[in-house]
Amino acid sequence: LDTAIVNETRYYYVESRDVFGNTRWNGEDTYVAFVSDPDDTRAEEQTWLVVLSPQEEDFGNGTYLMSYTSKLQGQFLLHVALSNAGFDLPDTVGSFFGAYNKTSEDFETSVDGESYAANRFLGQAAVMDTLDGRFVSNSPVTITIPNSVASGPLSTVEALSSFQWLDRELRFVEQNGLQGGVVGLPYQFNMHIRDSEGNTRRAPDDITVRLSLVEPGPQSNDTIVNVSNIVVYGEVASIASSSDTSADASTSGEYQATYQVETSGVYQMDVFLNGNADDPNNHVNGSPFTVNFSPNFTSPALTDVTGAGLEQAEVNATNTLVVTSKDAFGNLQYYPNVSALGQQRVPSFSMDCSTEHPGQDCVPINIGADNFTVRVIGPIGMDEYDDYGDRLWHGRIESYGDGTHALRYTPPYEGNYILEVNLAQTVPGLSGEYYETMWLDRNDAEPSVSQIDSEIDFDWSTGDDLGPFIGAQYLAQSKYVSARWTGLIAAEYDEVYTFSVDIPEYFQVRMKLDDEWIVEHWNETGIRLDGGDQNDVASGDLSGSYLMRSQILYDITLELRIPFGSEARVSLSWESHSRSKEIVPRYWLWPGSYPLSNSPYEITAV
C-alpha cells in the first residue's frame, strides 16, 4: 500500500468490521477497488493503466486478499469500498476515472470491459457519490510506482532536420541529426526514453552520445588524421514533453542531443544509457548510427598554392602549380568526377527562401568543385616590352577531384610577374549595385541597393519593382537611375562568344570582359555632342564578340543608365558555334572572389 514495481502484481488485505469495530468473522463481504490520478495529469495518456483484479480470496474470517498491477510508473490513489447487496456497480473497477472518455472499442478489448463501461457512464463524480459512505476507513491510499529500469531497445530517437543560412555563401545548407551533413555546424536529434514495459521514464537518465571517426575523408599530406584520436561527445539536455507541455522537463522522459564535428568522414554514433556502451541493452533503438560529414565551404585562408613554379618560371613553357583546397577546419575538399570549370553548378533542388532571403537559392552545400581565377600580370616595368608590359595573362586550372587542382600558366617573356590566385564565390550570379543617379558611383555615391542577381534578365516596366526606385512608378517621376553588375564569367568551350544586350530606346549600356569593352553604347558626359536628339542614344540589340577559353574565369562588368520613361528592361545573352542564343545561365556566373592567403605571388620568368 506504499510502493510497487511496474508490471508486478502487488497484494493487500481488507479487514471487515461492523459499526462497533468488531471483526466480521463470518466473511462473505464483497469489496471493490478503483484507481484515480490525484493530479489528473494522465487522463489522456492511454497507456497509464493500473489493472485491478477481483477479490483474490475470502479467508472466511473477515479478511480479504486483493491485488493490482501497474503498467506505468507514477503516483495514484487506490480507492477501496464495500459493495455488498444493493450496490449496482460491477465487482471490480479496472481503471482511473478518465477511462470514461475512451471509445467503445477500447472497452471491448480492455482487461475489464464492464469496469471501463461503468466509469464511462458514471464518471468520477457519479462514482464517488454512489460509493459515499462505503469507503473503508483509510481510503484512498496514495501509492507510488517508482521508475523501472530504462530500456535502450524500447527507447526511440527522432532526427531533427533544418536548413541553416550561410551569410558568406548566400545559401541554406541542410542538417539532419541522424544522417550528418557538413562539418562545423550543429546537429540535433530527440530521444524518448522508455522502461522495459514501454512506459515513458519519469526520472532523469544518464545518456551518452558518442561519435567515433571510422573512415576519414581525403586528407592532405600535412593534415593526416589519426582515426583513434577523433572522438566527439554530444551534449544532452532534457526537454519538455511533446504530449504534455505542462509537465516538468526533468521528468518528461524526452531529451535533445546536440553535437558538432570538425573532421570530415564517416562516423559511428553510439547513443546509450547508464554510461556503458558494452551492454547492447543500453543502446537506444537503432544505435549505433552511421553519419557522414562532408567538408564545409572552402576557406581561402587555408587553401594554398605549392610547386617549383611559384617563385621561378620557365619562359614559353607550361609551368604547373598545385592548389590544395581546404575548409576552415583543415579538411581537404573532395569532388569526385569533377574536372571542368562550372560542372555540377546547377542546383539539385530548391526551396522557398523568399521570406527571409528573397531571390536567393536554397541549395545543398555540395553543388560543384571549387573555381579559381588565375591572373598573370607582367612583365612588370620592362621597358623593352612596352607593348606587352603589365599585360594580363590567364592561367588555367583543372580539378583532380580530390581537393587538389593543377594550375598551369605560360609566361611569354622574361621578367617579373605577379600571379594572383583567387577563390570564386560559390553562389551563382553577378553582384548588382543600383544607384539613384545616372552617374553610378561618381562623387563617391553609394548604391541604394546591393544584391546578387542570378541572371541579367529584367523587365521592371511590368511591375517587377527593385527596391524603392526602379520600376514604372519611379521612372514616371522623371528620375534617373543607373546600375552596375560585376563578377566573373566562364565558358564551356574554346570559342568566340557573341554577347547581346537588349535594352529599350534611349538607354545607355556598356559591357567589359577583363580590360576590353566589347559592347559600348555610352556617353560619359550624358550629353549628345553631335547635335542630335538628346534621347537618341541607344536602342535595340547591342552586341560584341570575345574569344573565350574554357577553364578560365574572366572579369565581367555591365553598366546601365536608365532615363525616365515608360519602359525599363535589360537582358544579357550569349551565343557561340556550339551554343544557341540564350540568357547567360547563372551557373556560368560568379559574383566575385576571395584572394588566397598568400596571394599575390611574385614570380620571375627566365
Side-chain angles (χ1 to χ4, degrees), residues 481-501:
V481 296
S482 56
R484 176 189 288 128
W485 292 272
T486 58
L488 303 165
I489 186 171
E492 187 174 2
Y493 309 105
D494 288 1
E495 292 181 346
V496 174
Y497 282 74
T498 298
F499 292 85
S500 301
V501 183

Side-chain angles (χ1 to χ4, degrees), residues 68 128 149 248 285 420 440 504:
Y68 64 87
M128 297 297 288
V149 177
D248 186 351
N285 188 20
E420 296 179 351
L440 295 169

